[in-house]
Amino acid sequence: MPNLEHPAYPAATLLHLESLVPCRESQVSMLLSIFGERQQFSFPSIFIYGHTSSGKTYVMQTLLNTLQLPHVFVNCVEYFTSRLLLEEILIQLQSCSSETEQTSRVPCDNFNDFVRLFKQAVVSRELQDQTLYIVLDRAEQLREMEANILPAFLRLQELTDRNVTVVLLSEIVWELFRPNTGCFEPLTLYFPDYSIGHLQKILSQNHPPEYSADFYAAYINILLGVFYMVCRDLKELQHLAALNFSKYCEPVVRGEANERDTRKLWKNIEPHLKKAMQTVYLREISSSQWERLQRDDGEPGQLKGLSAHTHVELPYYSKFLLIAAYLASYNPVRTDKRFFLKHHGKIRKTNFMKKHEKTSNHLLGPKPFPLDRLLAILYSIVDNRVAPTANIFSQITSLVTLQLLSVVGHNDQLDGPRYKCTVSLDFIRAIARTVNFDIIKYLYDFL
Amino acid sequence: MSTCSVSKGCFVFKPSPKKRKLSQKTVNYFRERNNASEDTDVRFVTCQSLWNQIKLETEQIQEDLNKQLFDNLVSFLRQSHSEFQEKTTEWTCRMKSREIPTAALVLGVNVTDHDLTFRSLSEVLQNNITPYIALLEAKDCPGIKNLMQKLMGQLMNCYIDVDSLEDEDHMQVSQNKIRCSMTSIISWYQNVTKKTDSETPSKKRTSSSRHWQSPPVVVIFKDMESFTTKVLQDFIVISSQHIHELPLVLVFGIATSPMIIHSLLPHSVSSLLCIELFQSLSCKEHLSTIIDKLLLTAQFPFKLGEKVLQVLINIFLYHDFSVQNFIKGFQLCIVEHFYSQPLSVLCCPLVDAKKRVNSLSHDQCENIRRLPSFRRYVENQASEKQILLLTADNFLKEITQKLLEDLYVYHENYVSVLRCLHVFTSSLPKYPLGKQIRELHCACLENRVWETEEYESSLQLARMLNKSDLVTMLQQCVEIFVSSSGKEFDKTIEKLKEFLTQFQELEVAEAFQEQDGSVSAQKELQKKTDLYHLQKTLLELKESRRSKKLTKFEMLRFEVVDYVDSLVRTYLVPADHKTLHEIMYFNTASVLRGHLNAAPRVALHTALNNPYCYLKNQALKSDGGNISNKAPDICIVYKLHLECGRLINLVDWLEAFSTVVTAVEGPNTDAASSDQVDDIIHARFIRAVSELELLGFIKPSKQKTDHVARLTWGGC
Ligand SMILES: Nc1ncnc2c1ncn2[C@@H]1O[C@H](COP(=O)(O)OP(=O)(O)OP(=O)(O)O)[C@@H](O)[C@H]1O
Ligand SMILES: [Mg+2]
């Protein structure tokens, strides 16, 4: 007995729809009641929001397709300028109105043209008596476009005087959209996150044909037990489920256990999933590598993940430049004398510590420094004389393009550029070790 | 060097279709400075052919070095989409989210070399995988729009390239008419793949059968670090939505570490990728190979002197890690050598060189006589021969031929013996003579290596080597000598082989006296190979040598080391002790340094502080730190500002300026000595100050009115 009820659509279709969108029945029925019957005018604009993988795209698409409502579905990230977006809507309209007529591309530069062309397109199709749905997925991108686009879409029904409803899908709340000038308020609808029970239900739905639904559900249960804490993204979970299922089945295939030996199966899969959490899930190693490992029964330890390759080989002076930049970023300027002057006398830390410097500079993050300070420190930490050659300066720029340093503020050479060192302590220590430089001795924080 | 050399270095060998014309021009450059009698044309041609030869060689080396990496990449690309194309029906394939296959290509920080790598990579891919390749650079893609435009431009172009027979009207679809969106790319892709499928099934297929029906589209991001997060994210999100219609593969060119992927892309985006890591050969290894193949060979007559080589290596190790720059520097050396050394006409294969000697002009003979190494040679000859050498051109030519031959033989022998010595030194603890052969090479070029302390300690350490090591080293040396082209080594090989048999015999003998205490002690010693222990044992041995008779093995070992030592002394004489070495060796390091490792700040300082250096005007010849009022205004202003602190008071500065400028006229023109500064001087001052500002020495300060801030400190 269907939860979804609507006089306009046959019960069988509704039943089918319901089976396709588990856990979203209430949202779908809400939408159906807003949509009303095919020919009825619906609310001009609807704003649907919810976290990623809460099924916004999927539910909308399934709904419109199953009920065969006329619609246009565009992704605003993909059509990144208003022109592209508007043209894409028109193209889709054209192509779904008449298959025979060759789609000729009409330039559409602004919303005014769009309204005109839109009217033409709707006239040319015979379905004027049905509500047309325009779904704008990833609608947050609209905010990057011209200011009139979003308000105009919200009132498209009024502007075109046609039976059209615009549906916006987004991950962020409506409040972040609303222009300061005000606009037509869409009807907002929230897609809540799936609970663990929901996830279990949705994920178990698509079990492989070779195995029973119960067997797969048990697997999903274990999977969620491991991953639910770190990941609630349905797409990702589905992917992980598919990746690791063959390992789960291994004992059954080998005949060591039968499908109901839950404990044995759990023992087999759990450590494996934990490993997956540290590797594939983080994209430390790729899914295909993971599968290959699984097939060859290798240990994932053999394959080093992306983060294992932190070592960066640098030219000799680049290393010192980076070290100097690090020192300049994390040491207060006043302490330079103490660190880099030969006869600085005895200055104890407590003597010249200002109040705010009691907190670790490392907690505050890198501070910007001028080029001259960098060079001064460089000259005093390199043993032999360094000539200020063009190469040295280009090395600084190279470090910036490598994102090991970053330029602060506007990049005006004449105005004395300021830099920040963006590498971590571990990284710089590894670098310093290769040139036998004890960086800890030169850091104010570790005095 | 004269200033004309700047322009010369820049465009001599630029590969371009207009090469003929260019080289004509460059020949003229060669002529410009020298008179015709010095064989400029021949020198130019020799230089060019030598460089072409070397270029080919370097390209070959690069290809060989990249082979492994490219093979891996190709097989990755092959597999990347095949799985989904073959088993679309399988459950896992349906359930798995389809990620974009991504190769993270870690290339090292030598960004200048990447261009070449990418070029050969796309060539390899074009030949093996797919014609559809796009190379993107961050500077072309500040926004997603530009990225798509670039991408489409490159892809559609390649389409036109591939079927150039295609009728014209396709090309007429101009760039901006196509909507720059993923859908256009997809429809383009479907178009081209459909077309190649239908057309000429048999003949054309076989030729390009390496590309299957739906070849992937490879998008290469050359400099991943410089791309903005937003652009990358958008592109990945968009393309992941169309991965089913467009088999896309990404290649990230990474200079630092693959960690950058995670810092650029949030998890939601990186989870759309299937990233595999590929690492290229380290640039240091690359350099070693280049040095090995280009410098440590008798194949090329041109050689680098010690100082020059050191400059090039230092630039590499200290500054850029760029192999391309090293090769460019090498090229510069070649050009400079052939340009500045008239006798470089003889820097060619021996057969040619001998012929050329015969046709040398009198001027050139005089040039030979002027060579320092030749003068040294003459001084050591008997007096009548001296006269002949200095007066009779024909006799000189004869002798020159002989000397050149000697030099060639020396090269051949040098390389083999150097490699042989390297076999020994590279396995000693702490590497007193360096681990790399290039270090050893430099040491040998610099001066008599056997007179250095490092060599002494190396020999001592070598005397401690254990038997198995020693035997393998000897075997390696035999191989080196056998494969070398030098004729003189037959005896050496024999001798080494003799050593080897002696060692074998020793083994047999040893088998009999297993229980001998001294032998086992010896063995124990052999195991300890670290420096400390070796030195200790060395001391002990020295003592024991006095007290005890040496074992057979020890005697033999001494013999071997002494023999190697004798080889070194005969064959590894530094090149600049050789007569006529100036013909083959380029050793003007200062020129090279000026070109490759310029110091703009120092130059600017010199120009402003000591204008005579560039202007060569006698009046400017300064005596010490005085400021001459003849100097250009900017120099005066500059010198004055050096004496100021961070903030400079403009009024004081002007006063000082006017004092300096009017200094000479001072006593006679009393009228001008009023407090009032002359308007013209005022104007000159303002101009000079703004010139300084333009050069970046000062800037207006907001802290104090009438003050400017200094932007530099110290002298430079
Ligand atoms: N109720 C559901 N029943 C079955 N599958 C679902 C359901 N909800 C989501 N999914 C699955 O989860 C995947 C992700 O959902 P979807 O793309 O709609 O999320 P989204 O809310 O649009 O996320 P985003 O904000 O990132 O675009 C879909 O491919 C779909 O297969
Ligand atoms: Mg979505």
Side-chain angles (χ1 to χ4, degrees):
Chain A
M1 75 182 47
N3 286 325
L4 296 176
E5 277 177 42
H6 202 279
Y9 308 101
T13 319
L14 289 177
L15 200 63
H16 179 57
L17 176 63
E18 191 179 330
S19 73
L20 286 177
V21 289
C23 315
R24 281 285 175 250
E25 293 88 355
S26 66
Q27 283 81 9
V28 170
S29 86
M30 173 79 157
L31 279 170
L32 282 181
S33 24
I34 299 168
F35 288 176
E37 292 180 23
R38 282 171 189 268
Q39 76 286 0
Q40 288 171 341
F41 270 58
S42 163
F43 204 80
S45 45
I46 303 169
F47 180 85
I48 298 177
Y49 69 105
H51 279 141
T52 179
S53 282
S54 53
K56 304 177 293 289
T57 314
Y58 174 75
V59 168
M60 260 335 270
Q61 224 150 16
T62 322
L63 177 66
L64 295 170
N65 283 332
T66 323
L67 301 182
Q68 291 178 325
L69 301 171
H71 66 271
V72 168
F73 211 106
V74 285
N75 187 324
C76 299
V77 175
E78 191 176 341
Y79 301 97
F80 35 82
T81 65
S82 60
R83 185 195 165 115
L84 279 176
L85 180 70
L86 299 178
E87 284 181 357
E88 177 63 22
I89 295 175
L90 291 173
I91 288 171
Q92 284 196 24
L93 259 182
Q94 260 177 359
S95 68
C96 69
S97 71
S98 47
E99 273 76 33
T100 45
E101 189 191 319
Q102 257 302 313
T103 51
S104 60
R105 216 174 57 74
V106 267
C108 172
D109 284 325
N110 52 39
F111 215 87
N112 207 12
D113 285 350
F114 176 71
V115 170
R116 185 170 52 82
L117 294 166
F118 180 84
K119 280 189 198 167
Q120 279 173 14
V122 176
V123 166
S124 71
R125 61 185 300 186
E126 295 75 42
L127 298 159
Q128 289 173 66
D129 47 348
Q130 283 193 52
T131 314
L132 173 72
Y133 296 93
I134 296 182
V135 187
L136 302 176
D137 201 351
R138 302 240 174 193
E140 55 270 11
Q141 189 70 28
L142 288 177
R143 301 181 303 168
E144 318 270 304
M145 298 178 190
E146 289 87 334
N148 68 334
I149 298 287
L150 176 65
F153 266 123
L154 293 171
R155 300 169 44 170
L156 192 64
Q157 198 175 76
E158 182 190 332
L159 291 172
T160 57
D161 196 23
R162 293 291 182 278
N163 188 357
V164 60
T165 290
V166 175
V167 183
L168 305 172
L169 305 183
S170 174
E171 275 179 58
I172 55 179
V173 294
W174 168 246
E175 280 65 32
L176 295 172
F177 275 76
R178 192 183 288 135
N180 344 350
T181 47
C183 65
F184 181 85
E185 289 284 315
L187 189 80
T188 57
L189 187 63
Y190 176 54
F191 275 32
D193 288 351
Y194 292 119
S195 69
I196 189 164
H198 288 153
L199 290 175
Q200 169 84 36
K201 189 170 165 197
I202 298 170
L203 286 172
S204 317
Q205 219 181 18
N206 273 315
H207 64 91
E210 300 92 347
Y211 294 93
S212 72
D214 285 348
F215 179 67
Y216 191 65
Y219 166 64
I220 293 297
N221 193 16
I222 297 172
L223 183 88
L224 282 176
V226 175
F227 279 103
Y228 186 71
M229 289 308 287
V230 291
C231 171
R232 296 172 190 196
D233 186 333
L234 195 54
K235 263 178 291 187
E236 189 66 25
L237 285 169
Q238 209 155 37
H239 182 66
L240 289 167
L243 275 188
N244 295 301
F245 187 60
S246 67
K247 178 81 181 177
Y248 183 69
C249 301
E250 222 168 56
V252 180
V253 173
R254 278 209 226 106
E256 289 164 7
N258 70 32
E259 291 196 13
R260 233 152 280 126
D261 258 343
T262 1
R263 213 185 136 64
K264 204 163 191 177
L265 291 173
W266 178 79
K267 262 202 160 150
N268 174 43
I269 194 71
E270 212 241 12
H272 186 71
L273 290 179
K274 288 226 162 108
K275 246 178 253 155
M277 186 158 74
Q278 285 150 17
T279 52
V280 230
Y281 170 63
L282 295 175
R283 295 305 186 270
E284 280 290 301
I285 65 177
S286 76
S287 348
S288 55
Q289 280 171 325
W290 180 252
E291 279 183 316
R292 237 173 289 147
L293 272 178
Q294 232 168 50
R295 221 174 305 138
D296 311 341
D297 242 342
E299 272 294 298
Q302 301 159 351
L303 238 177
K304 282 205 279 177
L306 293 187
S307 320
H309 299 263
T310 48
H311 178 68
V312 178
E313 186 121 29
L314 289 172
Y316 189 73
Y317 285 147
S318 295
K319 287 180 185 171
F320 275 106
L321 276 169
L322 200 60
I323 291 171
Y326 193 86
L327 295 175
S329 271
Y330 287 99
N331 281 346
V333 183
R334 291 170 311 105
T335 60
D336 282 357
K337 240 188 210 151
R338 183 218 173 276
F339 286 122
F340 305 116
L341 231 55
K342 283 258 162 56
H343 310 288
H344 55 76
K346 275 271 176 297
I347 315 173
R348 285 235 233 89
K349 185 173 181 176
T350 42
N351 288 352
F352 67 162
M353 190 159 60
K354 280 192 189 155
K355 208 172 203 171
H356 67 269
E357 279 167 6
K358 273 185 192 137
T359 46
S360 157
N361 288 305
H362 277 85
L363 287 181
L364 295 172
K367 290 190 196 61
F369 54 85
L371 178 65
D372 283 347
R373 185 165 169 230
L374 173 70
L375 291 178
I377 297 180
L378 173 76
Y379 294 150
S380 60
I381 59 175
V382 179
D383 290 335
N384 39 359
R385 221 182 79 76
V386 194
T389 59
N391 274 329
I392 292 281
F393 293 108
S394 78
Q395 270 169 288
I396 298 176
T397 324
S398 300
L399 288 175
V400 173
T401 51
L402 294 178
Q403 309 246 297
L404 299 173
L405 299 184
S406 68
V407 181
V408 184
H410 53 108
N411 188 4
D412 182 5
Q413 279 297 323
L414 287 188
D415 219 21
R418 293 164 74 77
Y419 301 92
K420 256 185 195 179
C421 183
T422 56
V423 303
S424 66
L425 180 64
D426 284 339
F427 185 92
I428 204 72
R429 281 179 74 171
I431 293 274
R433 213 174 301 128
T434 60
V435 288
N436 288 326
F437 181 81
D438 188 2
I439 191 163
I440 295 298
K441 264 204 218 147
Y442 287 85
L443 278 169
Y444 182 68
D445 278 353
F446 298 98
L447 222 52
Chain B
M1 264 295 136
S2 60
T3 43
C4 74
S5 62
V6 172
S7 59
K8 172 205 63 197
C10 291
F11 51 83
V12 177
F13 295 112
K14 209 166 189 181
S16 98
K18 296 175 284 179
K19 195 165 182 181
R20 284 292 97 203
K21 234 170 81 195
L22 264 180
S23 45
Q24 197 48 51
K25 228 163 101 195
T26 30
V27 170
N28 292 339
Y29 272 105
F30 263 65
R31 279 203 197 111
E32 224 165 63
R33 212 179 60 163
N34 310 289
N35 45 8
S37 68
E38 292 180 334
D39 308 306
T40 41
D41 290 2
V42 186
R43 264 154 60 199
F44 178 70
V45 172
T46 320
C47 171
Q48 217 171 19
S49 79
L50 175 66
W51 168 242
N52 284 338
Q53 227 175 317
I54 288 177
K55 209 172 92 184
L56 279 182
E57 180 82 25
T58 53
E59 276 162 13
Q60 187 57 45
I61 294 169
Q62 243 132 24
E63 201 173 294
D64 294 348
L65 289 180
N66 281 331
K67 194 173 178 316
Q68 178 71 42
L69 173 72
F70 287 169
D71 283 353
N72 290 344
L73 261 173
V74 164
S75 73
F76 169 74
L77 290 178
R78 278 239 171 80
Q79 281 168 7
S80 60
H81 280 285
S82 61
E83 194 187 345
F84 283 96
Q85 276 158 0
E86 281 158 16
K87 336 179 224 180
T88 36
T89 47
E90 244 174 57
W91 175 82
T92 26
C93 283
R94 264 188 298 126
M95 295 307 288
K96 262 194 312 203
S97 43
R98 186 155 170 193
E99 298 165 316
I100 310 173
T102 305
L105 195 55
V106 182
L107 293 168
V109 296
N110 44 333
V111 184
T112 29
D113 294 351
H114 295 181
D115 243 6
L116 207 76
T117 315
F118 281 122
R119 221 177 309 144
S120 39
L121 171 65
S122 59
E123 216 166 86
V124 168
L125 295 185
Q126 216 131 39
N127 291 336
N128 294 302
I129 305 273
T130 172
Y132 313 121
I133 298 167
L135 275 160
L136 300 178
E137 251 174 303
K139 68 170 194 290
D140 299 330
C141 311
I144 179 77
K145 192 174 164 187
N146 316 69
L147 188 146
M148 293 300 276
Q149 255 165 6
K150 260 261 146 8
L151 181 64
M152 287 177 66
Q154 292 193 17
L155 287 179
M156 316 239 160
N157 261 343
C158 90
Y159 157 68
I160 291 166
D161 273 349
V162 165
D163 309 11
S164 45
L165 318 162
E166 207 52 53
D167 40 349
E168 290 293 285
D169 58 351
H170 259 289
M171 297 214 243
Q172 254 144 42
V173 185
S174 75
Q175 242 287 297
N176 37 11
K177 267 199 180 161
I178 308 170
R179 301 178 69 235
C180 106
S181 70
M182 212 45 152
T183 22
S184 328
I185 296 183
I186 291 164
S187 58
W188 159 82
Y189 181 77
Q190 279 163 352
N191 244 331
V192 279
T193 44
K194 205 167 60 212
K195 204 166 292 155
T196 42
D197 265 1
S198 56
E199 90 186 5
T200 53
S202 59
K203 201 163 163 259
K204 206 171 176 193
R205 274 301 65 187
T206 43
S207 62
S208 59
S209 57
R210 289 153 296 164
H211 306 165
W212 63 93
Q213 312 120 350
S214 45
V217 175
V218 180
V219 180
I220 302 177
F221 294 85
K222 280 168 128 183
D223 41 353
M224 178 77 170
E225 280 90 356
S226 313
F227 276 90
T228 53
T229 325
K230 173 105 173 70
V231 170
L232 279 177
Q233 280 185 32
D234 282 356
F235 180 72
I236 292 169
V237 167
I238 294 171
S239 34
S240 86
Q241 268 170 356
H242 295 285
I243 191 75
H244 294 275
E245 299 135 286
L246 185 74
L248 200 69
V249 180
L250 307 182
V251 176
F252 291 158
I254 296 173
T256 48
S257 82
M259 286 283 278
I260 194 81
I261 297 178
H262 289 317
S263 57
L264 277 176
L265 303 175
H267 183 246
S268 65
V269 176
S270 67
S271 67
L272 301 172
L273 303 175
C274 174
I275 308 165
E276 261 177 61
L277 197 65
F278 297 88
Q279 220 145 5
S280 77
L281 199 71
S282 94
C283 49
K284 281 187 187 167
E285 280 169 56
H286 193 164
L287 180 79
S288 300
T289 323
I290 291 279
I291 289 182
D292 202 58
K293 293 268 166 67
L294 290 189
L295 304 183
L296 300 179
T297 165
Q299 192 186 347
F300 305 112
F302 175 79
K303 309 278 173 201
L304 291 182
E306 189 266 334
K307 289 214 191 67
V308 166
L309 182 58
Q310 205 67 58
V311 169
L312 288 180
I313 290 178
N314 280 354
I315 290 179
F316 177 88
L317 289 179
Y318 286 174
H319 294 294
D320 61 8
F321 267 0
S322 164
V323 178
Q324 288 313 311
N325 281 356
F326 183 87
I327 295 171
K328 285 258 166 60
F330 187 50
Q331 184 185 4
L332 182 66
C333 294
I334 296 176
V335 174
E336 189 63 45
H337 181 64
F338 280 93
Y339 175 69
S340 57
Q341 173 58 267
L343 288 171
S344 61
V345 66
L346 299 180
C347 184
C348 58
L350 184 59
V351 220
D352 300 333
K354 278 183 167 175
K355 278 186 212 140
R356 286 180 191 180
V357 169
N358 282 329
S359 51
L360 284 184
S361 65
H362 176 68
D363 284 355
Q364 287 282 53
C365 292
E366 284 302 310
N367 280 334
I368 293 181
R369 291 185 183 116
R370 252 175 261 139
L371 292 179
S373 69
F374 188 75
R375 288 227 288 267
R376 240 179 296 145
Y377 171 76
V378 171
E379 277 158 23
N380 289 333
Q381 303 301 317
S383 59
E384 54 273 33
K385 204 175 170 193
Q386 276 184 357
I387 295 169
L388 267 180
L389 279 172
L390 294 178
T391 51
D393 282 358
N394 277 338
F395 184 68
L396 174 78
K397 285 176 184 174
E398 219 172 274
I399 294 293
T400 308
Q401 281 180 342
K402 227 176 80 225
L403 288 173
L404 280 177
E405 206 173 315
D406 284 352
L407 205 54
Y408 273 87
V409 172
Y410 158 76
H411 278 320
E412 280 175 353
N413 299 341
Y414 176 89
V415 174
S416 305
V417 175
L418 184 76
R419 284 185 201 283
C420 171
L421 178 60
H422 181 240
V423 167
F424 283 90
T425 55
S426 64
S427 52
L428 298 176
K430 288 254 171 115
Y431 313 105
L433 276 169
K435 194 176 176 184
Q436 305 281 345
I437 195 164
R438 60 160 189 266
E439 297 165 85
L440 191 64
H441 179 49
C442 282
C444 292
L445 280 180
E446 197 179 2
N447 43 37
R448 293 194 179 96
V449 71
W450 56 88
E451 287 170 359
T452 59
E453 251 173 62
E454 291 86 10
Y455 182 78
E456 200 45 50
S457 58
S458 298
L459 278 196
Q460 288 194 348
L461 288 171
R463 289 193 186 104
M464 312 300 310
L465 287 166
N466 68 33
K467 193 162 81 196
S468 63
D469 285 353
L470 208 54
V471 169
T472 44
M473 282 176 208
L474 282 177
Q475 276 161 349
Q476 281 173 6
C477 292
V478 170
E479 270 165 39
I480 290 170
F481 285 126
V482 167
S483 61
S484 90
S485 47
K487 302 279 172 301
E488 294 180 20
F489 289 126
D490 291 347
K491 265 211 199 106
T492 318
I493 295 170
E494 237 166 63
K495 182 82 187 164
L496 291 177
K497 281 188 175 159
E498 199 184 306
F499 280 133
L500 279 173
T501 43
Q502 275 175 326
F503 274 117
Q504 250 166 17
E505 277 162 17
L506 212 63
E507 226 159 73
V508 178
E510 229 168 56
F512 286 110
Q513 27 173 287
E514 260 305 58
Q515 298 91 340
D516 195 321
S518 71
V519 174
S520 61
Q522 186 63 47
K523 269 190 178 164
E524 202 177 274
L525 289 181
Q526 287 160 16
K527 277 181 210 138
K528 300 169 182 165
T529 40
D530 60 304
L531 192 61
Y532 172 73
H533 283 287
L534 274 176
Q535 272 165 352
K536 218 171 78 178
T537 22
L538 197 68
L539 283 179
E540 282 168 14
L541 258 184
K542 257 189 192 158
E543 275 167 27
S544 70
R545 212 181 307 166
R546 265 178 242 128
S547 58
K548 206 176 74 185
K549 239 185 75 192
L550 292 170
T551 66
K552 267 206 181 128
F553 168 71
E554 283 167 326
M555 300 235 288
L556 198 52
R557 190 165 56 186
F558 274 119
E559 259 181 68
V560 170
V561 173
D562 286 346
Y563 185 70
V564 172
D565 183 39
S566 73
L567 282 180
V568 168
R569 282 166 198 266
T570 3
Y571 293 110
L572 295 190
V573 185
D576 46 12
H577 290 225
K578 285 283 172 187
T579 316
L580 294 189
H581 71 89
E582 292 93 338
I583 293 176
M584 314 287 177
Y585 282 81
F586 177 69
N587 214 1
T588 8
S590 58
V591 176
L592 201 63
R593 225 177 274 130
H595 283 310
L596 298 181
N597 205 5
R601 273 192 177 198
V602 176
L604 204 55
H605 176 74
T606 324
L608 293 173
N609 200 37
N610 183 14
Y612 174 75
C613 186
Y614 289 99
L615 295 178
K616 305 281 184 226
N617 182 339
Q618 286 305 321
L620 296 176
K621 219 163 185 179
S622 75
D623 34 331
N626 289 358
I627 310 176
S628 148
N629 65 338
K630 302 256 173 32
D633 291 346
I634 187 172
C635 299
I636 300 173
V637 171
Y638 177 77
K639 272 203 171 175
L640 289 171
H641 111 294
L642 287 182
E643 287 152 22
C644 300
R646 238 192 69 75
L647 285 176
I648 308 171
N649 186 333
L650 277 173
V651 179
D652 296 348
W653 202 4
L654 172 61
E655 222 144 76
F657 178 74
S658 103
T659 322
V660 172
V661 171
T662 52
V664 167
E665 302 110 82
N668 9 359
T669 53
D670 294 67
S673 69
S674 62
D675 297 345
Q676 198 71 41
V677 178
D678 187 352
D679 273 353
I680 292 180
I681 290 179
H682 198 163
R684 280 166 62 183
F685 173 74
I686 290 174
R687 192 176 61 185
V689 167
S690 41
E691 278 169 356
L692 266 197
E693 188 181 343
L694 189 70
L695 288 176
F697 284 101
I698 53 168
K699 69 166 184 182
S701 154
K702 287 186 195 85
Q703 293 169 14
K704 256 175 164 181
T705 47
D706 291 346
H707 280 69
V708 290
R710 265 185 84 171
L711 290 172
T712 56
W713 38 268
C716 44

